[in-house]
Amino acid sequence: MLDRLGLDRRDRRNLLVVMAVVAAVTAVVSAGTISVRLVVGVIAGLISGVVFVVSTALINRYKPEHW
């Protein structure tokens, strides 16, 4: 599915890195029990992943030729 959006192998790797870092940082800095922290981290990671995919797909589609 990500191939249809124009994401190559490097973009997919960066997507996983962004999601993991955001999820980990959010889980560490959030308040609550460990289960609440994990749920908050997973949700934040998923949201950041969606934003990353949309922004990367738009950049790949509309970027100038000299990039």
Side-chain angles (χ1 to χ4, degrees):
M1 179 176 154
L2 294 176
D3 292 333
R4 292 189 304 184
L5 295 174
L7 299 176
D8 60 0
R9 184 178 178 97
R10 191 181 79 205
D11 292 332
R12 284 184 242 139
R13 181 201 55 188
N14 291 342
L15 170 65
L16 291 176
V17 169
V18 166
M19 288 176 66
V21 168
V22 169
V25 169
T26 305
V28 168
V29 300
S30 63
T33 63
I34 191 69
S35 59
V36 171
R37 288 179 178 206
L38 290 176
V39 170
V40 168
V42 168
I43 291 171
L46 290 174
I47 291 170
S48 68
V50 169
V51 171
F52 181 87
V53 167
V54 169
S55 61
T56 304
L58 288 173
I59 288 170
N60 287 343
R61 182 173 174 108
Y62 295 110
K63 68 182 176 184
E65 293 297 321
H66 62 276
W67 274 16

Short mmCIF file of all heavy atoms in Angstrom, two decimals:
data_model
loop_
_atom_site.label_atom_id
_atom_site.label_comp_id
_atom_site.label_asym_id
_atom_site.label_seq_id
_atom_site.Cartn_x
_atom_site.Cartn_y
_atom_site.Cartn_z
N MET A 1 0.81 -1.19 0.00
CA MET A 1 0.00 0.00 0.00
C MET A 1 0.86 1.26 0.00
O MET A 1 0.53 2.23 -0.66
CB MET A 1 -0.92 0.00 1.22
CG MET A 1 -1.78 1.22 1.29
SD MET A 1 -2.89 1.09 2.68
CE MET A 1 -3.16 2.80 2.97
N LEU A 2 1.96 1.24 0.74
CA LEU A 2 2.82 2.42 0.78
C LEU A 2 3.50 2.66 -0.55
O LEU A 2 3.86 3.80 -0.87
CB LEU A 2 3.86 2.27 1.90
CG LEU A 2 3.30 2.26 3.32
CD1 LEU A 2 4.41 2.02 4.32
CD2 LEU A 2 2.57 3.54 3.63
N ASP A 3 3.67 1.61 -1.37
CA ASP A 3 4.24 1.80 -2.70
C ASP A 3 3.32 2.63 -3.58
O ASP A 3 3.79 3.42 -4.39
CB ASP A 3 4.50 0.45 -3.36
CG ASP A 3 5.60 -0.32 -2.69
OD1 ASP A 3 6.48 0.33 -2.09
OD2 ASP A 3 5.59 -1.55 -2.76
N ARG A 4 2.03 2.47 -3.43
CA ARG A 4 1.08 3.24 -4.23
C ARG A 4 1.10 4.72 -3.88
O ARG A 4 0.75 5.55 -4.69
CB ARG A 4 -0.34 2.70 -4.06
CG ARG A 4 -0.52 1.33 -4.64
CD ARG A 4 -1.96 0.92 -4.64
NE ARG A 4 -2.51 0.99 -3.30
CZ ARG A 4 -3.72 0.61 -2.97
NH1 ARG A 4 -4.51 0.13 -3.89
NH2 ARG A 4 -4.15 0.70 -1.74
N LEU A 5 1.54 5.04 -2.66
CA LEU A 5 1.62 6.44 -2.25
C LEU A 5 2.94 7.09 -2.65
O LEU A 5 3.14 8.27 -2.43
CB LEU A 5 1.45 6.55 -0.73
CG LEU A 5 0.10 6.13 -0.18
CD1 LEU A 5 0.13 6.15 1.33
CD2 LEU A 5 -0.99 7.06 -0.70
N GLY A 6 3.84 6.32 -3.22
CA GLY A 6 5.11 6.86 -3.67
C GLY A 6 6.20 6.85 -2.61
O GLY A 6 7.17 7.59 -2.71
N LEU A 7 6.06 6.01 -1.59
CA LEU A 7 7.06 5.92 -0.55
C LEU A 7 8.05 4.81 -0.88
O LEU A 7 7.66 3.67 -1.14
CB LEU A 7 6.41 5.64 0.81
CG LEU A 7 5.43 6.70 1.32
CD1 LEU A 7 4.80 6.24 2.61
CD2 LEU A 7 6.12 8.02 1.51
N ASP A 8 9.32 5.14 -0.89
CA ASP A 8 10.33 4.13 -1.18
C ASP A 8 10.83 3.48 0.11
O ASP A 8 10.30 3.72 1.19
CB ASP A 8 11.47 4.73 -1.98
CG ASP A 8 12.18 5.87 -1.28
OD1 ASP A 8 11.80 6.20 -0.15
OD2 ASP A 8 13.13 6.42 -1.87
N ARG A 9 11.84 2.66 -0.02
CA ARG A 9 12.35 1.89 1.12
C ARG A 9 12.88 2.81 2.23
O ARG A 9 12.65 2.55 3.42
CB ARG A 9 13.45 0.96 0.63
CG ARG A 9 14.01 0.04 1.67
CD ARG A 9 15.07 -0.87 1.03
NE ARG A 9 15.66 -1.73 1.99
CZ ARG A 9 15.29 -2.98 2.22
NH1 ARG A 9 14.29 -3.48 1.52
NH2 ARG A 9 15.89 -3.71 3.11
N ARG A 10 13.57 3.87 1.87
CA ARG A 10 14.11 4.80 2.86
C ARG A 10 12.99 5.51 3.61
O ARG A 10 13.08 5.73 4.82
CB ARG A 10 15.02 5.81 2.16
CG ARG A 10 15.83 6.65 3.12
CD ARG A 10 16.68 7.64 2.39
NE ARG A 10 15.79 8.74 2.02
CZ ARG A 10 15.97 9.56 1.03
NH1 ARG A 10 17.00 9.41 0.24
NH2 ARG A 10 15.14 10.53 0.78
N ASP A 11 11.92 5.87 2.90
CA ASP A 11 10.78 6.53 3.55
C ASP A 11 10.12 5.60 4.56
O ASP A 11 9.69 6.03 5.63
CB ASP A 11 9.76 7.00 2.53
CG ASP A 11 10.28 8.13 1.66
OD1 ASP A 11 11.14 8.90 2.14
OD2 ASP A 11 9.81 8.25 0.51
N ARG A 12 10.01 4.32 4.22
CA ARG A 12 9.40 3.37 5.14
C ARG A 12 10.24 3.17 6.40
O ARG A 12 9.72 3.08 7.50
CB ARG A 12 9.18 2.02 4.44
CG ARG A 12 7.99 2.07 3.51
CD ARG A 12 7.73 0.73 2.90
NE ARG A 12 7.91 0.92 1.46
CZ ARG A 12 8.51 0.09 0.65
NH1 ARG A 12 9.00 -1.03 1.10
NH2 ARG A 12 8.62 0.36 -0.62
N ARG A 13 11.55 3.16 6.23
CA ARG A 13 12.45 3.06 7.38
C ARG A 13 12.31 4.29 8.27
O ARG A 13 12.20 4.19 9.49
CB ARG A 13 13.89 2.91 6.93
CG ARG A 13 14.86 2.77 8.09
CD ARG A 13 16.24 3.12 7.72
NE ARG A 13 16.23 4.47 7.15
CZ ARG A 13 17.25 5.04 6.58
NH1 ARG A 13 18.38 4.40 6.46
NH2 ARG A 13 17.18 6.27 6.10
N ASN A 14 12.28 5.47 7.65
CA ASN A 14 12.12 6.71 8.41
C ASN A 14 10.78 6.75 9.12
O ASN A 14 10.67 7.28 10.23
CB ASN A 14 12.28 7.92 7.50
CG ASN A 14 13.69 8.09 7.01
OD1 ASN A 14 14.62 7.54 7.56
ND2 ASN A 14 13.85 8.84 5.94
N LEU A 15 9.74 6.20 8.51
CA LEU A 15 8.43 6.14 9.14
C LEU A 15 8.49 5.33 10.43
O LEU A 15 7.98 5.77 11.47
CB LEU A 15 7.41 5.50 8.18
CG LEU A 15 6.05 5.13 8.75
CD1 LEU A 15 5.29 6.36 9.18
CD2 LEU A 15 5.27 4.33 7.75
N LEU A 16 9.12 4.19 10.39
CA LEU A 16 9.23 3.36 11.59
C LEU A 16 10.06 4.05 12.67
O LEU A 16 9.72 3.98 13.86
CB LEU A 16 9.85 2.01 11.24
CG LEU A 16 8.98 1.09 10.39
CD1 LEU A 16 9.74 -0.17 10.04
CD2 LEU A 16 7.70 0.76 11.11
N VAL A 17 11.13 4.74 12.28
CA VAL A 17 11.96 5.45 13.25
C VAL A 17 11.16 6.56 13.91
O VAL A 17 11.18 6.72 15.14
CB VAL A 17 13.24 6.00 12.58
CG1 VAL A 17 13.97 6.96 13.50
CG2 VAL A 17 14.14 4.86 12.16
N VAL A 18 10.43 7.34 13.12
CA VAL A 18 9.63 8.45 13.67
C VAL A 18 8.57 7.91 14.61
O VAL A 18 8.39 8.43 15.73
CB VAL A 18 8.99 9.27 12.52
CG1 VAL A 18 7.89 10.19 13.04
CG2 VAL A 18 10.04 10.07 11.80
N MET A 19 7.87 6.88 14.22
CA MET A 19 6.82 6.32 15.07
C MET A 19 7.40 5.78 16.38
O MET A 19 6.82 6.01 17.45
CB MET A 19 6.08 5.21 14.33
CG MET A 19 5.18 5.71 13.22
SD MET A 19 4.40 4.38 12.30
CE MET A 19 3.35 3.68 13.54
N ALA A 20 8.53 5.10 16.31
CA ALA A 20 9.13 4.52 17.52
C ALA A 20 9.61 5.61 18.47
O ALA A 20 9.39 5.52 19.68
CB ALA A 20 10.27 3.60 17.13
N VAL A 21 10.26 6.64 17.93
CA VAL A 21 10.78 7.70 18.78
C VAL A 21 9.65 8.48 19.44
O VAL A 21 9.68 8.75 20.65
CB VAL A 21 11.72 8.63 17.98
CG1 VAL A 21 12.04 9.89 18.75
CG2 VAL A 21 12.98 7.90 17.59
N VAL A 22 8.64 8.83 18.67
CA VAL A 22 7.50 9.58 19.24
C VAL A 22 6.78 8.74 20.29
O VAL A 22 6.42 9.24 21.35
CB VAL A 22 6.54 10.03 18.12
CG1 VAL A 22 5.24 10.56 18.70
CG2 VAL A 22 7.20 11.09 17.26
N ALA A 23 6.58 7.46 20.01
CA ALA A 23 5.90 6.59 20.97
C ALA A 23 6.71 6.46 22.25
O ALA A 23 6.15 6.54 23.36
CB ALA A 23 5.65 5.22 20.34
N ALA A 24 8.01 6.28 22.13
CA ALA A 24 8.85 6.12 23.31
C ALA A 24 8.90 7.39 24.15
O ALA A 24 8.75 7.34 25.37
CB ALA A 24 10.26 5.70 22.89
N VAL A 25 9.11 8.52 23.50
CA VAL A 25 9.20 9.78 24.24
C VAL A 25 7.87 10.11 24.90
O VAL A 25 7.82 10.52 26.06
CB VAL A 25 9.66 10.92 23.31
CG1 VAL A 25 9.50 12.28 23.97
CG2 VAL A 25 11.09 10.71 22.88
N THR A 26 6.78 9.89 24.20
CA THR A 26 5.47 10.17 24.77
C THR A 26 5.18 9.24 25.95
O THR A 26 4.62 9.68 26.96
CB THR A 26 4.37 10.02 23.70
OG1 THR A 26 4.69 10.85 22.59
CG2 THR A 26 3.02 10.41 24.23
N ALA A 27 5.55 7.99 25.83
CA ALA A 27 5.32 7.04 26.93
C ALA A 27 6.15 7.42 28.16
O ALA A 27 5.68 7.26 29.28
CB ALA A 27 5.66 5.63 26.48
N VAL A 28 7.34 7.95 27.95
CA VAL A 28 8.19 8.31 29.08
C VAL A 28 7.69 9.56 29.78
O VAL A 28 7.67 9.63 31.01
CB VAL A 28 9.65 8.49 28.61
CG1 VAL A 28 10.51 9.14 29.68
CG2 VAL A 28 10.24 7.15 28.20
N VAL A 29 7.25 10.56 29.03
CA VAL A 29 6.90 11.83 29.65
C VAL A 29 5.43 11.92 30.08
O VAL A 29 5.06 12.87 30.77
CB VAL A 29 7.22 13.03 28.72
CG1 VAL A 29 8.69 13.07 28.41
CG2 VAL A 29 6.39 12.99 27.46
N SER A 30 4.61 10.95 29.71
CA SER A 30 3.21 11.00 30.11
C SER A 30 3.05 10.54 31.56
O SER A 30 3.91 9.88 32.12
CB SER A 30 2.33 10.15 29.18
OG SER A 30 2.71 8.81 29.27
N ALA A 31 1.92 10.91 32.13
CA ALA A 31 1.65 10.55 33.52
C ALA A 31 0.64 9.41 33.58
O ALA A 31 -0.21 9.28 32.70
CB ALA A 31 1.11 11.75 34.27
N GLY A 32 0.73 8.60 34.60
CA GLY A 32 -0.22 7.51 34.79
C GLY A 32 0.49 6.20 35.02
O GLY A 32 1.71 6.14 35.14
N THR A 33 -0.30 5.16 35.05
CA THR A 33 0.27 3.83 35.23
C THR A 33 1.00 3.42 33.96
O THR A 33 0.88 4.06 32.92
CB THR A 33 -0.84 2.81 35.56
OG1 THR A 33 -1.73 2.74 34.44
CG2 THR A 33 -1.60 3.21 36.81
N ILE A 34 1.74 2.34 34.04
CA ILE A 34 2.53 1.89 32.89
C ILE A 34 1.63 1.52 31.71
O ILE A 34 1.98 1.78 30.57
CB ILE A 34 3.47 0.73 33.28
CG1 ILE A 34 4.48 0.44 32.17
CG2 ILE A 34 2.69 -0.51 33.62
CD1 ILE A 34 5.50 1.51 31.97
N SER A 35 0.47 0.95 31.98
CA SER A 35 -0.42 0.58 30.88
C SER A 35 -0.99 1.82 30.19
O SER A 35 -1.10 1.85 28.96
CB SER A 35 -1.55 -0.32 31.38
OG SER A 35 -2.29 0.33 32.38
N VAL A 36 -1.31 2.84 30.97
CA VAL A 36 -1.79 4.09 30.38
C VAL A 36 -0.69 4.74 29.55
O VAL A 36 -0.93 5.24 28.45
CB VAL A 36 -2.29 5.05 31.48
CG1 VAL A 36 -2.59 6.43 30.92
CG2 VAL A 36 -3.51 4.48 32.18
N ARG A 37 0.53 4.73 30.05
CA ARG A 37 1.65 5.30 29.32
C ARG A 37 1.88 4.59 27.99
O ARG A 37 2.14 5.22 26.97
CB ARG A 37 2.92 5.23 30.15
CG ARG A 37 2.94 6.18 31.31
CD ARG A 37 4.21 6.02 32.09
NE ARG A 37 4.24 6.97 33.18
CZ ARG A 37 5.36 7.41 33.71
NH1 ARG A 37 6.52 6.98 33.27
NH2 ARG A 37 5.32 8.28 34.70
N LEU A 38 1.78 3.26 28.02
CA LEU A 38 1.97 2.50 26.78
C LEU A 38 0.88 2.79 25.76
O LEU A 38 1.16 2.94 24.57
CB LEU A 38 2.04 1.01 27.09
CG LEU A 38 3.30 0.55 27.81
CD1 LEU A 38 3.19 -0.93 28.15
CD2 LEU A 38 4.53 0.83 26.99
N VAL A 39 -0.36 2.86 26.21
CA VAL A 39 -1.47 3.16 25.30
C VAL A 39 -1.30 4.56 24.70
O VAL A 39 -1.47 4.75 23.49
CB VAL A 39 -2.83 3.02 26.02
CG1 VAL A 39 -3.96 3.57 25.18
CG2 VAL A 39 -3.09 1.57 26.38
N VAL A 40 -0.95 5.53 25.55
CA VAL A 40 -0.74 6.89 25.06
C VAL A 40 0.42 6.92 24.07
O VAL A 40 0.34 7.59 23.03
CB VAL A 40 -0.49 7.85 26.25
CG1 VAL A 40 0.01 9.20 25.78
CG2 VAL A 40 -1.76 8.01 27.06
N GLY A 41 1.48 6.20 24.34
CA GLY A 41 2.62 6.15 23.43
C GLY A 41 2.26 5.53 22.09
O GLY A 41 2.66 6.03 21.04
N VAL A 42 1.50 4.46 22.11
CA VAL A 42 1.09 3.80 20.87
C VAL A 42 0.18 4.72 20.05
O VAL A 42 0.36 4.85 18.83
CB VAL A 42 0.39 2.46 21.16
CG1 VAL A 42 -0.30 1.91 19.93
CG2 VAL A 42 1.40 1.47 21.70
N ILE A 43 -0.76 5.37 20.69
CA ILE A 43 -1.66 6.28 19.98
C ILE A 43 -0.88 7.44 19.37
O ILE A 43 -1.09 7.80 18.21
CB ILE A 43 -2.78 6.78 20.91
CG1 ILE A 43 -3.72 5.62 21.25
CG2 ILE A 43 -3.55 7.92 20.28
CD1 ILE A 43 -4.72 5.94 22.33
N ALA A 44 0.03 8.02 20.14
CA ALA A 44 0.84 9.13 19.62
C ALA A 44 1.72 8.66 18.46
O ALA A 44 1.91 9.39 17.48
CB ALA A 44 1.68 9.73 20.73
N GLY A 45 2.28 7.46 18.56
CA GLY A 45 3.08 6.92 17.47
C GLY A 45 2.28 6.70 16.21
O GLY A 45 2.75 7.00 15.11
N LEU A 46 1.06 6.21 16.35
CA LEU A 46 0.21 6.01 15.18
C LEU A 46 -0.19 7.33 14.52
O LEU A 46 -0.18 7.45 13.29
CB LEU A 46 -1.05 5.23 15.57
CG LEU A 46 -0.81 3.76 15.94
CD1 LEU A 46 -2.11 3.14 16.45
CD2 LEU A 46 -0.27 3.00 14.76
N ILE A 47 -0.51 8.31 15.34
CA ILE A 47 -0.87 9.62 14.79
C ILE A 47 0.32 10.24 14.08
O ILE A 47 0.19 10.78 12.97
CB ILE A 47 -1.40 10.55 15.91
CG1 ILE A 47 -2.75 10.05 16.39
CG2 ILE A 47 -1.51 11.99 15.42
CD1 ILE A 47 -3.26 10.75 17.64
N SER A 48 1.50 10.15 14.67
CA SER A 48 2.68 10.71 14.01
C SER A 48 3.00 9.94 12.72
O SER A 48 3.48 10.53 11.75
CB SER A 48 3.88 10.69 14.95
OG SER A 48 4.29 9.37 15.20
N GLY A 49 2.74 8.66 12.70
CA GLY A 49 2.94 7.88 11.48
C GLY A 49 2.03 8.31 10.35
O GLY A 49 2.46 8.43 9.20
N VAL A 50 0.77 8.56 10.68
CA VAL A 50 -0.18 9.03 9.66
C VAL A 50 0.24 10.39 9.12
O VAL A 50 0.24 10.62 7.90
CB VAL A 50 -1.61 9.08 10.24
CG1 VAL A 50 -2.55 9.80 9.31
CG2 VAL A 50 -2.12 7.68 10.54
N VAL A 51 0.64 11.29 10.01
CA VAL A 51 1.09 12.61 9.58
C VAL A 51 2.34 12.49 8.72
O VAL A 51 2.47 13.17 7.70
CB VAL A 51 1.34 13.52 10.80
CG1 VAL A 51 2.02 14.82 10.40
CG2 VAL A 51 0.03 13.81 11.51
N PHE A 52 3.26 11.62 9.08
CA PHE A 52 4.48 11.41 8.30
C PHE A 52 4.14 10.89 6.90
O PHE A 52 4.70 11.37 5.92
CB PHE A 52 5.40 10.43 9.02
CG PHE A 52 6.69 10.18 8.30
CD1 PHE A 52 7.77 11.01 8.51
CD2 PHE A 52 6.82 9.12 7.42
CE1 PHE A 52 8.97 10.78 7.85
CE2 PHE A 52 8.01 8.89 6.76
CZ PHE A 52 9.08 9.73 6.97
N VAL A 53 3.26 9.92 6.80
CA VAL A 53 2.91 9.35 5.50
C VAL A 53 2.26 10.40 4.61
O VAL A 53 2.61 10.53 3.43
CB VAL A 53 2.00 8.12 5.66
CG1 VAL A 53 1.37 7.71 4.35
CG2 VAL A 53 2.78 6.97 6.26
N VAL A 54 1.32 11.15 5.17
CA VAL A 54 0.62 12.17 4.37
C VAL A 54 1.60 13.24 3.90
O VAL A 54 1.62 13.61 2.71
CB VAL A 54 -0.55 12.79 5.16
CG1 VAL A 54 -1.11 14.01 4.47
CG2 VAL A 54 -1.63 11.76 5.39
N SER A 55 2.43 13.75 4.81
CA SER A 55 3.35 14.82 4.42
C SER A 55 4.40 14.33 3.44
O SER A 55 4.74 15.02 2.48
CB SER A 55 4.00 15.44 5.65
OG SER A 55 4.75 14.48 6.34
N THR A 56 4.92 13.11 3.63
CA THR A 56 5.92 12.57 2.70
C THR A 56 5.31 12.31 1.33
O THR A 56 5.94 12.60 0.30
CB THR A 56 6.53 11.28 3.26
OG1 THR A 56 7.07 11.56 4.55
CG2 THR A 56 7.61 10.74 2.37
N ALA A 57 4.09 11.80 1.28
CA ALA A 57 3.43 11.56 0.00
C ALA A 57 3.19 12.88 -0.74
O ALA A 57 3.40 12.96 -1.96
CB ALA A 57 2.12 10.82 0.21
N LEU A 58 2.77 13.90 -0.02
CA LEU A 58 2.56 15.20 -0.67
C LEU A 58 3.87 15.81 -1.15
O LEU A 58 3.92 16.39 -2.24
CB LEU A 58 1.85 16.16 0.30
CG LEU A 58 0.38 15.86 0.57
CD1 LEU A 58 -0.15 16.77 1.67
CD2 LEU A 58 -0.44 16.00 -0.70
N ILE A 59 4.92 15.70 -0.35
CA ILE A 59 6.22 16.22 -0.77
C ILE A 59 6.72 15.48 -2.00
O ILE A 59 7.19 16.10 -2.96
CB ILE A 59 7.24 16.12 0.38
CG1 ILE A 59 6.92 17.15 1.45
CG2 ILE A 59 8.67 16.32 -0.13
CD1 ILE A 59 7.72 16.98 2.73
N ASN A 60 6.62 14.16 -2.02
CA ASN A 60 7.07 13.39 -3.18
C ASN A 60 6.28 13.70 -4.43
O ASN A 60 6.81 13.67 -5.53
CB ASN A 60 7.01 11.89 -2.88
CG ASN A 60 8.08 11.45 -1.92
OD1 ASN A 60 9.07 12.14 -1.70
ND2 ASN A 60 7.89 10.29 -1.32
N ARG A 61 5.03 14.01 -4.26
CA ARG A 61 4.19 14.28 -5.43
C ARG A 61 4.40 15.67 -6.00
O ARG A 61 4.43 15.85 -7.22
CB ARG A 61 2.72 14.10 -5.06
CG ARG A 61 1.79 14.30 -6.21
CD ARG A 61 0.37 13.96 -5.83
NE ARG A 61 -0.53 14.30 -6.88
CZ ARG A 61 -1.15 13.44 -7.65
NH1 ARG A 61 -0.96 12.15 -7.46
NH2 ARG A 61 -1.96 13.83 -8.60
N TYR A 62 4.58 16.68 -5.15
CA TYR A 62 4.62 18.06 -5.61
C TYR A 62 5.99 18.72 -5.49
O TYR A 62 6.09 19.92 -5.66
CB TYR A 62 3.59 18.89 -4.83
CG TYR A 62 2.18 18.45 -5.11
CD1 TYR A 62 1.44 17.81 -4.12
CD2 TYR A 62 1.60 18.64 -6.35
CE1 TYR A 62 0.15 17.38 -4.37
CE2 TYR A 62 0.31 18.21 -6.61
CZ TYR A 62 -0.41 17.59 -5.61
OH TYR A 62 -1.69 17.16 -5.87
N LYS A 63 7.04 17.97 -5.23
CA LYS A 63 8.35 18.57 -5.09
C LYS A 63 8.87 19.01 -6.45
O LYS A 63 8.52 18.45 -7.50
CB LYS A 63 9.32 17.60 -4.44
CG LYS A 63 9.68 16.40 -5.29
CD LYS A 63 10.60 15.47 -4.55
CE LYS A 63 10.87 14.24 -5.39
NZ LYS A 63 11.66 13.28 -4.67
N PRO A 64 9.75 20.03 -6.47
CA PRO A 64 10.34 20.46 -7.73
C PRO A 64 11.26 19.39 -8.31
O PRO A 64 11.74 18.51 -7.60
CB PRO A 64 11.15 21.70 -7.34
CG PRO A 64 10.67 22.11 -6.00
CD PRO A 64 10.09 20.89 -5.37
N GLU A 65 11.51 19.47 -9.58
CA GLU A 65 12.33 18.47 -10.27
C GLU A 65 13.78 18.45 -9.78
O GLU A 65 14.43 17.42 -9.80
CB GLU A 65 12.31 18.72 -11.77
CG GLU A 65 10.96 18.49 -12.41
CD GLU A 65 10.52 17.03 -12.27
OE1 GLU A 65 11.36 16.13 -12.40
OE2 GLU A 65 9.32 16.80 -12.04
N HIS A 66 14.30 19.58 -9.32
CA HIS A 66 15.72 19.65 -8.96
C HIS A 66 16.00 19.13 -7.55
O HIS A 66 17.13 19.15 -7.12
CB HIS A 66 16.23 21.10 -9.08
CG HIS A 66 15.54 22.07 -8.18
ND1 HIS A 66 14.35 22.66 -8.52
CD2 HIS A 66 15.87 22.54 -6.96
CE1 HIS A 66 13.97 23.48 -7.55
NE2 HIS A 66 14.88 23.42 -6.59
N TRP A 67 15.01 18.63 -6.83
CA TRP A 67 15.25 18.07 -5.49
C TRP A 67 15.81 16.72 -5.61
O TRP A 67 15.51 15.74 -5.82
CB TRP A 67 13.96 18.09 -4.68
CG TRP A 67 13.74 19.39 -3.99
CD1 TRP A 67 14.34 20.57 -4.23
CD2 TRP A 67 12.80 19.64 -2.93
NE1 TRP A 67 13.85 21.53 -3.42
CE2 TRP A 67 12.90 20.99 -2.61
CE3 TRP A 67 11.90 18.86 -2.27
CZ2 TRP A 67 12.12 21.57 -1.62
CZ3 TRP A 67 11.12 19.43 -1.30
CH2 TRP A 67 11.24 20.78 -0.98
#
